[in-house]
Amino acid sequence: MTHSPENLNSEVESSVAGTITIDSHDIIQTFSPIAERLFGYKSSEVVGHNVSMLMPEPDHSGRDGHLAKYWASDIAHVLGVDREVTGLRKGGTAFPMHLSVEESVFEGKPMFTGMVHDLTVEVANRMSQQESEGRFRQLVNCIDEVFMLRTLTPVRYVYVSPAVEKIYGLTADQVLADPEIFFDVIHPDDVAELRETMAKADTSSRLEFECRILRPDGEVRWLWVRYSQVATVPGDPPLLAIVVSDITVRKNAQRAEASARAEAERANAAKTEFLSRMSHELRTPMNAILGFAQLLGMDDLSDNQHESVRQIIRGGQHLLDLINEVLDISGIDSGQLALSSEPVLVSDVIDEVMDLVVPLVAARNLTVLMPTGDVCHVHVLADRQRFKQVLLNFVSNAIKYNRNDGEIRLTCDTRPNGEFAITVSDKGIGIGSEELERLFTPFDRLGQEATAVEGTGVGLALSQRLIHLMGGRIEVESTAGVGSSFTVLLPLAGGVESRTVEQGSPEARTVSATAAVPGRSAALTVVYIEDNLANVRLMEQLAARRQGITLIHAMQGGLALELITSSRPGLILLDLHLPDMSGEEVLRRLRAESITRRIPTVVVSADASPGQIRRILEMGASGYLTKPFDVEELLLWFDNPHRMEGESP
Ligand code: ADP
């Protein structure tokens, strides 16, 4: 290249780099303004001086004297190639600079033009990047997670952290050499899904999935893999950063928990099934025992025989109470007993309970002191039937464990915390302090089993569970030889008029429907659908007690429907457990047909759950008798099949 001094200067001026021209003796000929800013010298201070003043030791010495020669000899290397050297500013500070050299000829003499860029900022950046890279490596080397960087398709790993060996049993070098090597260890069942997921890696900015690996020792490990695309160098295609965690411990714990839960659910389902079977299986024979005993009791018997019948009925009743209580307790414990809390008028429940115990109170000549005024005209939130059951348990205990001519007192009061308390106190035998703590243990009768007082020891245990389920609690105070007081505390029902008249529930309607109705005058055909022969025999005997009754028996639902259509009975008695179809289905079909729709149908079933009873009555059953049923109650249906409608046939 050939230059005139003018164009040499203007070229120097316009250059973005600092430009320094030296001759073959290293003497500076030109020094551009940018070079002035870079080195801190005025052009006049350097032109005519040796270029070594711009370079620190050892760069300016030991190079055969002439830097120009050095520059020139290096031209082959430096042309077009970045070279970093160190510059020396006025004042003696060194700085990194980039130098490229061109040789030219001026007036027949060789000239060397060095173009100089300051690299201070760049080098500082590079150093901090190296430093953070160092820190990053330190971090990924010591964490348990595997960290990898790879290209998108085609897959090539750029970085693989050493943890890959701990988790996969592969070395980082193996992975760097063969990206497909992972598929050698992926669990065979997960390979297809993993390939599918990995195919999405190029198009998704983030991905995460779980997969299993099968290690050479046969151990299966669960991995949690997260992909995220990262832009490294602007303009370059993104890389995929991959973090892999070993989640085997967590996964195994989750699986153990899930299988324990499934096992518990299976056990619970089996328990429910068992309970419902037990309920049916125990009640069905009890129906025959108590039914036939009641029938016997209606006969002309000697005093001794009457006493025997009374014993059978008492024993049977006791067994039935026990069955009911045990089934209730297990139902609560397995979460199967559903209660429906609603506002219940306390005074109504007290009245119903006290009506039931009148004969017992009279038999022991007890004085009963009832709350005065409107103090119990309060609504509490409770399941009406269960609340009554609990109160009845308290009152019958107060009678049973009292002394003759003793006293029972009922009191009600509202507690400041919004609870309503109903207390039953007696002046009976009381309970010793060491026995009090066993009071709610099922079957523990606190020594009363040795006395003549009858009981199962389950009532209070059941009461406590029931009241807890309703959001209430029970308090007990007792002193041996002095007396006891049992309090049930229930939440007050807000927003209910205290004098609202309670609507009886459907089953209450059935049970209390004992109103006298005119006797049946005409002949009555009754179809009894039942598959238990002992119960059929009992029903036959009951039917024989009434004039003009023809009892037709069907063991199966389908057959019964045909029989009913052809014989048009005046009353249908229906068991719910039938061999060919459910009693509910029979009822539904009876109600759907215009010919059979109006025939009174009474369900006679061993299933005593309130929900079931309510549902059956809502489906249109005229009544629901739970086995073992009260013989007198059944005879009332024979006497007047339309008794619930209040009409005579
Ligand atoms: P049980 O059927 O035996 O009456 P409960 O569960 O109702 O069963 O009561 C458990 C035990 O608590 C009773 O057997 C009796 O020993 C004692 N108990 C309950 N109520 C009273 C009471 N009012 N006075 C004295 N002891 C009572």
Side-chain angles (χ1 to χ4, degrees):
M1 172 153 85
T2 309
H3 297 280
S4 67
E6 295 78 35
N7 73 26
L8 187 70
N9 259 336
S10 67
E11 217 169 270
V12 166
E13 295 298 325
S14 66
S15 168
V16 284
T19 314
I20 308 158
T21 317
I22 57 171
D23 63 13
S24 54
H25 301 287
D26 295 349
I27 302 303
I28 299 171
Q29 303 297 313
T30 67
F31 199 68
S32 77
I34 293 177
E36 286 183 331
R37 274 205 298 282
L38 268 178
F39 287 91
Y41 288 110
K42 290 263 162 229
S43 165
S44 54
E45 292 176 277
V46 292
V47 170
H49 292 271
N50 194 294
V51 74
S52 62
M53 69 182 288
L54 303 177
M55 297 191 171
E57 291 278 357
D59 284 6
H60 77 236
S61 63
R63 295 203 188 268
D64 295 340
H66 295 303
L67 271 167
K69 271 195 202 149
Y70 161 63
W71 281 17
S73 68
D74 246 16
I75 281 172
H77 299 291
V78 297
L79 281 179
V81 180
D82 287 350
R83 190 166 64 147
E84 278 179 43
V85 293
T86 308
L88 190 67
R89 287 203 177 92
K90 183 177 178 184
T93 44
F95 67 99
M97 63 180 199
H98 172 260
L99 172 69
S100 58
V101 182
E102 273 183 16
E103 188 182 11
S104 57
V105 178
F106 181 63
E107 292 176 350
K109 291 181 200 154
M111 285 284 183
F112 301 94
T113 307
M115 268 152 311
V116 179
H117 293 266
D118 186 352
L119 293 180
T120 311
V121 175
E122 202 181 314
V123 166
N125 278 345
R126 213 184 302 144
M127 276 167 66
S128 84
Q129 197 179 331
Q130 274 165 2
E131 199 179 302
S132 66
E133 264 180 33
R135 276 203 297 266
F136 166 78
R137 266 169 212 277
Q138 244 178 353
L139 178 74
V140 292
N141 284 356
C142 70
I143 58 172
D144 288 337
E145 269 81 8
V146 177
F147 178 77
M148 298 183 280
L149 266 178
R150 74 159 172 82
T151 55
L152 303 181
T153 318
V155 178
R156 185 175 61 82
Y157 284 87
V158 178
Y159 175 77
V160 178
S161 74
V164 78
E165 192 157 359
K166 209 167 114 198
I167 292 187
Y168 290 90
L170 299 170
T171 64
D173 287 343
Q174 279 177 295
V175 178
L176 291 171
D178 176 10
E180 281 284 299
I181 201 162
F182 282 122
F183 287 98
D184 291 354
V185 285
I186 297 295
H187 194 288
D189 295 350
D190 290 357
V191 168
E193 199 184 331
L194 184 66
R195 284 211 183 270
E196 224 171 86
T197 312
M198 284 181 70
K200 296 179 200 150
D202 283 10
T203 49
S204 324
S205 60
R206 264 169 200 283
L207 262 186
E208 64 170 71
F209 56 90
E210 290 178 2
C211 67
R212 285 166 299 171
I213 53 167
L214 188 59
R215 287 174 51 100
D217 55 7
E219 191 197 351
V220 174
R221 287 205 190 169
W222 277 93
L223 306 183
W224 176 34
V225 184
R226 282 92 81 205
Y227 282 5
S228 46
Q229 286 193 8
V230 286
T232 42
V233 180
D236 280 5
L239 290 177
L240 206 58
I242 305 171
V243 181
V244 183
S245 319
D246 186 340
I247 53 165
T248 311
V249 173
R250 193 181 77 199
K251 206 73 188 170
N252 286 345
Q254 276 173 357
R255 284 187 329 162
E257 195 184 311
S259 86
R261 204 178 316 124
E263 181 57 35
E265 274 163 16
R266 260 198 305 279
N268 231 343
K271 191 171 178 184
T272 312
E273 166 73 14
F274 172 75
L275 284 178
S276 105
R277 279 188 167 278
M278 277 281 282
S279 164
H280 188 253
E281 298 307 319
L282 293 173
R283 280 164 180 279
T284 305
M286 284 308 294
N287 193 45
I289 295 169
L290 287 175
F292 280 113
Q294 287 177 72
L295 260 182
L296 263 182
M298 290 173 177
D299 285 348
D300 219 359
L301 301 178
S302 69
D303 285 354
N304 264 348
Q305 286 169 325
H306 264 303
E307 181 51 27
S308 305
V309 170
R310 259 200 304 278
Q311 291 295 347
I312 296 173
I313 294 176
R314 257 177 57 190
Q317 200 56 53
H318 178 75
L319 192 55
L320 192 65
D321 289 347
L322 194 62
I323 293 168
N324 288 341
E325 286 174 341
V326 168
L327 289 176
D328 274 351
I329 281 219
S330 348
I332 292 174
D333 289 350
S334 62
Q336 300 300 323
L337 196 90
L339 299 188
S340 56
S341 273
E342 55 185 352
V344 176
L345 189 60
V346 173
S347 53
D348 274 0
V349 176
I350 293 181
D351 289 348
E352 282 171 29
V353 167
M354 296 319 285
D355 279 352
L356 286 173
V357 298
V358 168
L360 300 173
V361 169
R364 305 208 57 187
N365 197 27
L366 302 173
T367 307
V368 179
L369 302 165
M370 295 292 285
T372 48
D374 278 357
V375 67
C376 300
H377 269 282
V378 170
H379 285 87
V380 290
L381 267 186
D383 180 300
R384 192 175 208 284
Q385 192 207 351
R386 299 303 193 168
F387 171 34
K388 184 172 153 189
Q389 182 181 344
V390 171
L391 205 59
L392 184 60
N393 182 225
F394 285 6
V395 174
S396 35
N397 281 350
I399 298 168
K400 287 196 304 187
Y401 304 109
N402 219 314
R403 44 189 111 240
N404 287 339
D405 311 316
E407 184 188 295
I408 298 177
R409 181 189 294 266
L410 260 89
T411 49
C412 291
D413 69 295
T414 307
R415 299 276 170 93
N417 62 357
E419 286 175 318
F420 192 72
I422 305 108
T423 303
V424 180
S425 319
D426 63 67
K427 291 191 174 165
I429 58 171
I431 305 164
S433 52
E434 65 286 357
E435 283 156 346
L436 262 181
E437 57 195 44
R438 303 191 336 252
L439 194 60
F440 297 102
T441 311
F443 301 107
D444 194 338
R445 297 201 60 211
L446 314 179
Q448 288 300 318
E449 60 279 9
T451 69
V453 183
E454 280 182 3
T456 58
V458 182
L460 284 179
L462 179 60
S463 294
Q464 192 187 47
R465 286 166 165 82
L466 287 170
I467 293 298
H468 278 171
L469 271 184
M470 290 180 221
R473 61 200 174 89
I474 290 175
E475 283 177 357
V476 185
E477 278 174 34
S478 188
T479 311
V482 177
S484 318
S485 61
F486 286 78
T487 303
V488 52
L489 294 117
L490 285 164
L492 281 166
V496 181
E497 269 292 306
S498 63
R499 283 195 173 274
T500 311
V501 178
E502 288 285 282
Q503 296 291 317
S505 61
E507 76 257 39
R509 188 168 55 108
T510 316
V511 172
S512 60
T514 51
V517 286
R520 179 183 46 80
S521 48
L524 176 70
T525 302
V526 180
V527 169
Y528 183 29
I529 313 166
E530 163 71 87
D531 63 337
N532 180 288
L533 281 177
N535 283 327
V536 175
R537 295 285 99 76
L538 172 64
M539 198 60 81
E540 281 169 357
Q541 295 220 19
L542 285 170
R545 301 247 150 197
R546 290 294 189 260
Q547 292 282 310
I549 289 190
T550 310
L551 187 76
I552 303 175
H553 165 231
M555 281 186 105
Q556 296 183 358
L559 195 69
L561 287 167
E562 283 172 26
L563 258 172
I564 290 164
T565 318
S566 58
S567 64
R568 310 275 182 91
L571 177 66
I572 300 167
L573 300 171
L574 172 64
D575 179 32
L576 291 180
H577 285 254
L578 297 171
D580 60 335
M581 66 173 79
S582 76
E584 276 190 58
E585 178 58 19
V586 175
L587 181 62
R588 199 189 58 71
R589 292 198 198 176
L590 286 173
R591 288 293 164 262
E593 288 297 324
S594 57
I595 306 176
T596 53
R597 184 177 300 144
R598 288 190 49 79
I599 305 175
T601 304
V602 176
V603 168
V604 185
S605 170
D607 188 333
S609 68
Q612 162 97 319
I613 296 173
R614 194 167 297 137
R615 200 174 62 249
I616 295 290
L617 290 173
E618 279 166 9
M619 282 176 73
S622 314
Y624 195 111
L625 296 177
T626 38
K627 288 176 190 165
F629 54 78
D630 180 9
V631 166
E632 297 289 349
E633 174 83 6
L634 185 99
L635 290 174
L636 286 173
W637 284 102
F638 283 165
D639 292 342
N640 183 3
H642 293 272
R643 54 197 286 263
M644 296 318 294
E645 298 158 30
E647 347 163 329
S648 298

